[in-house]
Amino acid sequence: MNIFPTTELKFSLVDNQKETIERLNRRTEHSDYLTSQFTDKSFRGTINGSSFKIISSTIGTGAFCVMTGEILFKQGHVKVEIHNFFKFLLSIFLLFPIIGLIMIINIETEDFTPTLILVAIGQILIIRYVFIGLVFRFISKSSLNRLRDVIDIEWIKN
């Protein structure tokens, strides 16, 4: 079980490799730091030869997902994962039920029951699969659609 979701997709190029990389270069603001800023480009990040590491330039949600991939001759691949900064913040958010449970145990009240352990586990699962999972699914889908539109690719079904 992964703590944080990732998505890996393969795609085929409509044009050739050179034109696809040029199109991605034109629509990417080159930056070593994957942070959101106002720009007229579609992406921010780095492109080294045929490989790339970019985020969407959408303010507010663009930096949540990092897309890394490579554009080969007729096809390529992209991996979408949560930005490391957001992984850190979400890890703290996932620890809240455990911290609450430890606090209840340390206070030594008569209100503690073993079912609170199951409640804490349930809260962690809800945070992971409902909140983090759904947010990742929507934002990554938006970023991947933007990538598809910019570099003119077709997704390959597994």
Side-chain angles (χ1 to χ4, degrees):
M1 179 182 96
N2 292 335
I3 295 176
F4 297 106
T6 61
T7 301
E8 293 186 41
L9 295 172
K10 294 184 180 197
F11 56 84
S12 62
L13 304 178
V14 174
D15 291 328
N16 60 27
Q17 180 189 21
K18 183 179 177 185
E19 288 182 25
T20 304
I21 292 172
E22 284 179 15
R23 193 175 301 124
L24 184 60
N25 269 322
R26 279 194 313 266
R27 299 296 303 156
T28 302
E29 180 179 310
H30 297 283
S31 172
D32 292 332
Y33 305 106
L34 299 175
T35 58
S36 290
Q37 285 186 347
F38 288 106
T39 181
D40 59 338
K41 307 274 179 134
S42 298
F43 301 105
R44 292 197 65 193
T46 58
I47 301 169
N48 297 322
S50 63
S51 63
F52 59 89
K53 185 172 186 177
I54 56 176
I55 61 169
S56 176
S57 65
T58 306
I59 298 296
T61 59
F64 188 76
C65 293
V66 176
M67 295 181 284
T68 56
E70 190 172 13
I71 301 171
L72 303 173
F73 295 107
K74 291 287 182 185
Q75 62 182 10
H77 64 277
V78 64
K79 180 178 181 182
V80 183
E81 53 190 356
I82 297 176
H83 194 287
N84 288 335
F85 176 74
F86 289 104
K87 283 183 183 179
F88 175 74
L89 289 177
L90 293 172
S91 296
I92 293 171
F93 191 58
L94 282 169
L95 289 176
F96 283 161
I98 296 170
I99 293 169
L101 185 64
I102 291 171
M103 289 176 62
I104 290 173
I105 292 171
N106 285 339
I107 293 174
E108 298 178 8
T109 63
E110 295 176 13
D111 295 338
F112 177 75
T113 60
T115 57
L116 288 176
I117 296 172
L118 293 175
V119 170
I121 292 171
Q123 288 173 341
I124 292 170
L125 292 175
I126 288 171
I127 291 168
R128 163 51 179 96
Y129 289 103
V130 175
F131 295 128
I132 297 173
L134 288 177
V135 168
F136 176 77
R137 180 178 296 164
F138 290 126
I139 294 175
S140 67
K141 189 174 184 179
S142 171
S143 296
L144 288 170
N145 284 339
R146 181 178 276 216
L147 180 68
R148 184 195 66 216
D149 291 341
V150 167
I151 63 175
D152 201 20
I153 56 174
E154 294 178 1
W155 301 117
I156 298 174
K157 300 200 183 208
N158 294 336

